[in-house]
Structures are given as structure tokens and as C-alpha cells.
Amino acid sequence: MYNYHPLECLPSSAELPDSDDTPVDNELQILIPNLLLAILASIWQSRDDWFFGINMGIYYTPLKPAIVPDGFLSLGVERFVGENGRSSYVFWEEEGIPPTLVLEVISQTYNGEYEQKKIDYAELGIPYYVIYAPTRLRRKRQRLEVYRLVEGKYILQPGDKVWLPEIGLGIGREQGTYQGRTREWLFWYDENGNRYQTAEEQLQNLLARLQQQGIDPNTI
């Protein structure tokens, strides 16, 4: 008798489109999630149970096109899959695990981040939805909005720095330096509200400490 396995009939990530061919409106849509990923790669370097996707399609059913947030974090999944990594995030290849957090960076072109996408992500059961407007602010909106899913609906969390217990990190906005640019960025925070620094900031602080101790960094 033939044993029927439904998952074997679903398309794989290699067979699904890995892009919707929609260009980003500005480079901050790439730089901001890249900064969050870079910090995670540093503070979670010994962990392999997480994945952070950037401008990557999320397939939750083979019957509909992928949704493509600017960034998303999934916990309880393999960090590295295969030699070439993931081309898309496919629910049925990830044991049905949805992302824990999705990020949308508001650009010059408005794409329903405050309405339709909020509905879509809630239906997928994603615990946290983060909306950040780095360059322009819509009327009656905060620059950073962090929503927590409560009984199927997103509830706005107060403040510019929000603790995310399921992740074990906080997220917030603050001035910092990344890739030579000093401006407001999104950062991760520890449980005491201290933000994790970029690699550049860590180096700058190290050089400052050496100078205070009268040590020439060039001699090390």
C-alpha cells in the first residue's frame, strides 16, 4: 500500500520564488535590519537555534504568494540550513514555526504597514510586530511602534524601548554609529536596559580606554 505524506506534495523552498522583485525605497530598509542581525550574530554567536531574515519571503501556505517583511526573527529553528542557506522561509520546512518578531521599516512608499500587514502578521500568530519610521512620521504615529499579540490582536506597547520576554531582549531606538553613520538606529537591549553596541562602537570604546591608560594602540 502506498503511504501518503502530505508534506512531500508541497513545493520546497528551492521550487518557490525567492523574491517578489519589489525594490526597496531606500538603503535604510536594508541597513536597519542588517544592524540588528549583526548584533545578534555577536551576542548569540554560540547559539544555533535562531534565524534572522532580511527582505526574505515567508511562505505560510502554498496557495498564496509570500509575504516579505524588511526583517524577521525566528526562534527554535536552525540558524544555518545547507551550504547556501535559505532562499525563503517556508513554514512547512520549519516545522510550522512562525517568526517571533517581524520588522517593517517605513519608506517613502507606504505599503499598508499600519493596517493590512498588521492583520496578516496577526493571522500568522507572530508574537511581535515592529514598525519603525526612520525618516518620516505619519500623522498620529510614533516613530517606533512595537505591538504584542494578545488574544489574536496586536496591542501597542508603550515607550521607545520595549522588553520582549519571549526573545530575552529589548528593542528600541537610540543614537549610535553603524557603518560610519551616526544617527538614530534600532538596537537590541539587555534586561537592564543597556543597549548592545555595534562593532565600531566597541572598537572606539576600546581605543578610548587605551588612550586613557596611556597606551598607544599602534604598539599592540
Side-chain angles (χ1 to χ4, degrees), residues 49-51 58-60 67 72-77 89-102 120-128 149 154 167:
D49 62 342
W50 62 276
F51 175 73
I58 299 175
Y59 285 93
Y60 56 97
I67 54 174
F72 66 91
L73 172 64
S74 290
L75 300 177
V77 300
Y89 188 88
V90 182
F91 269 39
W92 52 92
E93 294 183 345
E94 308 288 350
E95 299 183 0
I97 298 175
T100 305
L101 176 148
V102 291
D120 294 339
Y121 294 142
E123 289 179 348
L124 294 183
I126 296 172
Y128 292 100
L149 192 64
Y154 279 125
I167 299 175

Side-chain angles (χ1 to χ4, degrees), residues 32-189:
I32 289 168
N34 263 298
L35 168 55
L36 293 174
L37 171 57
I39 294 175
L40 284 181
S42 175
I43 64 177
W44 285 357
Q45 59 183 303
S46 61
R47 293 180 53 174
D48 58 6
D49 62 342
W50 62 276
F51 175 73
F52 194 95
I54 298 174
N55 198 31
M56 176 181 285
I58 299 175
Y59 285 93
Y60 56 97
T61 171
L63 303 178
K64 295 183 179 181
I67 54 174
V68 187
D70 292 314
F72 66 91
L73 172 64
S74 290
L75 300 177
V77 300
E78 292 184 54
R79 182 179 176 190
F80 303 111
V81 174
E83 183 178 347
N84 298 320
R86 294 172 172 85
S87 56
S88 303
Y89 188 88
V90 182
F91 269 39
W92 52 92
E93 294 183 345
E94 308 288 350
E95 299 183 0
I97 298 175
T100 305
L101 176 148
V102 291
L103 166 68
E104 293 288 355
V105 179
I106 302 299
S107 62
Q108 298 303 314
T109 302
Y110 177 61
N111 292 308
E113 287 88 352
Y114 296 101
E115 291 85 24
Q116 187 58 50
K117 287 188 177 182
K118 189 187 296 184
I119 295 172
D120 294 339
Y121 294 142
E123 289 179 348
L124 294 183
I126 296 172
Y128 292 100
Y129 177 32
V130 178
I131 308 175
Y132 180 51
T135 58
R136 68 186 185 96
L137 193 61
R138 294 193 77 211
R139 204 168 108 189
K140 298 182 180 180
R141 292 294 182 183
Q142 301 174 25
R143 190 164 299 282
L144 172 64
E145 296 189 358
V146 180
Y147 292 88
R148 183 173 186 177
L149 192 64
V150 179
E151 296 181 354
K153 294 184 178 180
Y154 279 125
I155 305 299
L156 179 63
Q157 304 300 292
D160 288 328
K161 187 189 303 179
V162 178
W163 179 249
L164 315 171
E166 292 87 343
I167 299 175
L169 294 171
I171 193 168
R173 62 187 184 95
E174 189 174 325
Q175 285 285 120
T177 302
Y178 177 59
Q179 292 197 8
R181 301 185 183 195
T182 299
R183 56 157 293 132
E184 182 182 277
W185 299 97
L186 289 188
F187 288 98
W188 300 111
Y189 294 78

